[in-house]
Amino acid sequence: MAIWLSENIGTVVVCLIVAVIVAAIAIYMIKGKRKSKNGTSCGGGCSGCPMNGSCHGRKS
């Protein structure tokens, strides 16, 4: 195991860095989704959107 690790340390370090970056992006996106209005990533301002009324459920 030690020989394999010493031969592949560069690959292991790069993979760990990429995994940390991907996790940080995912956390950032999840937090942004939770903070946004109406649970949408666009903020729910549909007045100027070409998909006006199509992407969000109507509230009664």
Side-chain angles (χ1 to χ4, degrees):
M1 179 69 175
I3 295 172
W4 179 87
L5 186 60
S6 65
E7 290 175 352
N8 296 301
I9 193 72
T11 303
V12 171
V13 170
V14 170
C15 288
L16 288 174
I17 291 171
V18 170
V20 168
I21 291 170
V22 169
I25 291 171
I27 291 169
Y28 174 78
M29 291 176 71
I30 290 169
K31 284 184 177 182
K33 183 90 169 167
R34 287 183 183 165
K35 286 182 181 180
S36 68
K37 189 176 182 179
N38 295 332
T40 61
S41 60
C42 65
C46 297
S47 62
C49 179
M51 295 290 292
N52 186 5
S54 299
C55 60
H56 303 291
R58 297 194 183 261
K59 292 184 178 180
S60 306

